[in-house]
Amino acid sequence: MKSDTIRKVAIVGYNRIPFARANTAYANVGNKEMMTAALNGLIDKYHLKGKLLGEVAGGAVIKHTYDNNLIRECVMKTSLDPATPACDLQQACDTGIESAVYIANKIALGQIDSGIAGGVDSISDMPIAVSEKLRKILLEARQAKSLGGKIKTFLKLRPSDLSPLVPKNEESQTGLSMGGHTEITAKHYKISREEQDEFALKSHLNMAKAYDEGFFDDMITPFNGLEKDNNLRRDSTIEKLAKLKPAFDKVNGTLTAGNSTPLTDGASCILLASEEWAKENGLPILAYITFAEIAAIEYVKNQQNLLLAPLFAVSRMLEKAGLNLQDFDYYEIHEAFAAQVLATLKIWESPKLSESIGLKKTLGAIDREKLNVKGSSLAAAHPFAATGGRIIGVMAKLLNEKGSGKGLISICAAGGQGVTMIIEK
């Protein structure tokens, strides 16, 4: 195929394992087991056993040193042709969707005909590091020529040097957690506690209804005794949410465990292909990926904007696509926090706020009944790298069931980044 020929990129399959709150159902498994389970479910569902695919791409935000070459190791544990190459990508919470962009671009350019994009994260199996001083002493002792030399080196240790280091859930540039930043967002953009709780409740109710209707039946492979996302709260009410204490700003905060996503374990993947490959393999074309955009935002001086980079990605993407924000049948905005989604919507609707943040124009309001109609991250929870695959799968299925239309996806990420995508049927 000529390199100047752009092919359409079809979404032909999806699969994930149920998402689990950290230290619950998946407490004793790690990234490899979860990602392999998600891949195996996809392979079984779409009869890919023995198939040679163009590439598999994905990654994890939280990784052990032995998780290097993670995706290739997972592929080797599946029934795919072992000649299928794979690579690791990582861009915080954007990892899953950026992996899809990576595979989609290769298909569009004719470099490959098919591929899988995915992501996985285990907070339960979080890597524990040693102190910097202990690390240096271990290396020094390793180089010592004699037992006496090793002992002399180890005598430099102090009890405090033996304390393990757990990865910090914070932005290194500011020292604030993502929730800490979003507290600032809520205050700056005047997002009330009541609004956040109402938004969170709707996510749970929408997802519970979707489960009851069987929407997720063909999207999830049971794993390790879990059949459904265990963060979903069917019995959630405004009254129960209102009783929860602030989680980040203990005195004046509005973010709680109820309107914020918890630390989570899980894995997801999607199958992408050219139209020709899909037809040759008897697979359905659920929808097409047509546009994608990545953006970043300054958040050290403007700490209220950490998770608002998708505002710029959406704006640029719509301009390239020649579309308005209102031209979509469905919207999927990742719910890292209710306040972050509500701030995004508020800025879109306000000329003053749009100008203040640096957008070229006001995009306007959307029909909120088209937003996260099957529930999203507040209900399903958020294993960082796995969220992109979950959301793309949901959007592809929504459009396929409708038979036509357009969907807009927006995912924010640590480091002041965000990625967006348009999916069409």
Side-chain angles (χ1 to χ4, degrees):
M1 173 160 292
K2 295 181 180 179
S3 61
D4 60 350
T5 302
I6 303 299
R7 300 190 297 182
K8 295 178 75 172
V9 179
I11 302 169
V12 298
Y14 41 67
N15 191 59
R16 68 179 178 93
I17 60 174
F19 292 172
R21 280 175 169 259
N23 302 309
T24 60
Y26 305 155
N28 297 313
V29 297
N31 287 333
K32 287 181 183 177
E33 293 92 339
M34 291 192 296
M35 191 72 242
T36 301
L39 289 170
N40 279 330
L42 186 81
I43 291 163
D44 291 344
K45 191 182 302 181
Y46 299 102
H47 310 293
L48 301 177
K49 184 177 181 179
K51 291 282 187 183
L52 175 63
L53 301 186
E55 191 169 3
V56 180
V61 177
I62 307 296
K63 294 173 70 172
H64 288 276
T65 54
Y66 54 71
D67 274 340
N68 65 316
N69 217 15
L70 171 65
I71 303 301
R72 172 61 178 163
E73 292 293 325
C74 293
V75 167
M76 292 297 291
K77 291 180 178 292
T78 71
S79 59
L80 286 175
D81 186 323
T84 299
C87 75
D88 283 22
L89 302 175
Q90 200 262 50
Q91 194 180 66
C93 307
D94 289 342
T95 298
I97 192 169
E98 274 290 87
S99 298
V101 172
Y102 171 89
I103 293 294
N105 283 341
K106 286 197 169 187
I107 293 171
L109 293 173
Q111 296 173 355
I112 61 176
D113 294 315
S114 61
I116 297 172
V120 59
D121 261 298
S122 172
I123 300 299
S124 300
D125 190 31
M126 185 176 290
I128 305 296
V130 299
S131 69
E132 183 63 14
K133 186 175 179 182
L134 176 55
R135 187 185 71 84
K136 289 180 178 179
I137 286 175
L138 289 171
L139 292 173
E140 185 181 336
R142 184 183 180 188
Q143 295 171 359
K145 303 296 184 183
S146 65
L147 178 61
K150 294 181 186 295
I151 292 173
K152 185 178 180 181
T153 301
F154 282 125
L155 288 174
K156 298 177 184 178
L157 283 172
R158 297 293 177 267
S160 61
D161 301 328
L162 302 177
S163 298
L165 299 179
V166 178
K168 295 181 179 180
N169 183 25
E170 65 181 35
E171 295 290 332
S172 61
Q173 298 289 323
T174 64
L176 292 172
S177 68
M178 196 173 289
H181 273 278
T182 308
E183 275 287 9
I184 299 172
T185 302
K187 292 180 176 69
H188 184 88
Y189 293 105
K190 296 180 173 59
I191 309 298
S192 71
R193 167 73 182 268
E194 291 73 24
E195 288 178 276
Q196 295 174 56
D197 287 349
E198 287 172 4
F199 188 87
L201 177 62
K202 190 167 186 178
S203 185
H204 284 274
L205 295 178
N206 282 351
M207 181 159 280
K209 183 181 178 184
Y211 265 113
D212 292 342
E213 293 172 346
F215 182 83
F216 296 116
D217 287 355
D218 71 337
M219 304 189 79
I220 298 175
T221 298
F223 177 64
N224 217 44
L226 194 62
E227 295 185 352
K228 298 180 178 180
D229 306 305
N230 70 8
N231 184 64
L232 176 62
R233 296 291 178 263
R234 290 178 170 275
D235 60 350
S236 186
T237 65
I238 283 294
E239 291 74 22
K240 289 180 180 179
L241 288 170
K243 292 178 181 178
L244 297 175
K245 295 180 180 179
F248 302 99
D249 179 348
K250 306 292 185 181
V251 179
N252 299 308
T254 57
L255 272 69
T256 70
N259 57 42
S260 310
T261 51
L263 296 174
T264 318
D265 306 332
S268 69
C269 52
I270 59 169
L271 178 61
L272 303 177
S274 66
E275 292 178 297
E276 295 78 13
W277 190 92
K279 291 173 183 176
E280 287 171 5
N281 287 273
L283 293 173
I285 294 176
L286 305 173
Y288 296 95
I289 295 175
T290 55
F291 289 88
E293 190 78 24
I294 183 74
I297 194 170
E298 197 288 317
Y299 66 92
V300 179
K301 293 180 181 177
N302 299 287
Q303 295 183 351
Q304 72 276 8
N305 291 338
L306 175 72
L307 299 181
L308 300 183
L311 288 165
F312 294 90
V314 167
S315 183
R316 295 202 295 256
M317 184 174 68
L318 292 178
E319 187 174 353
K320 292 175 182 178
L323 293 170
N324 296 313
L325 184 61
Q326 294 71 33
D327 293 339
F328 295 89
D329 299 272
Y330 301 106
Y331 303 84
E332 284 287 330
I333 302 179
H334 163 46
E335 300 166 349
F337 304 89
Q340 148 258 324
V341 181
L342 291 167
T344 296
L345 299 176
K346 192 168 187 177
I347 293 167
W348 276 344
E349 295 170 6
S350 167
K352 183 178 179 180
L353 291 177
S354 294
E355 182 181 1
S356 70
I357 204 171
L359 293 175
K360 292 181 180 179
K361 66 176 184 178
T362 307
L363 297 183
I366 65 169
D367 181 350
R368 296 197 185 188
E369 293 304 309
K370 298 178 179 180
L371 172 63
N372 298 351
V373 296
K374 301 300 180 182
S376 194
S377 304
L378 285 167
H382 172 42
F384 305 131
T387 288
R390 178 188 66 77
I391 287 178
I392 291 173
V394 167
M395 183 63 82
K397 183 168 185 178
L398 283 170
L399 292 172
N400 185 55
E401 288 187 344
K402 184 176 183 296
S404 64
K406 299 181 180 67
L408 185 147
I409 291 172
S410 169
I411 299 180
C412 60
Q417 299 193 100
V419 64
T420 59
M421 180 179 283
I422 293 174
I423 297 178
E424 301 184 51
K425 175 71 174 180

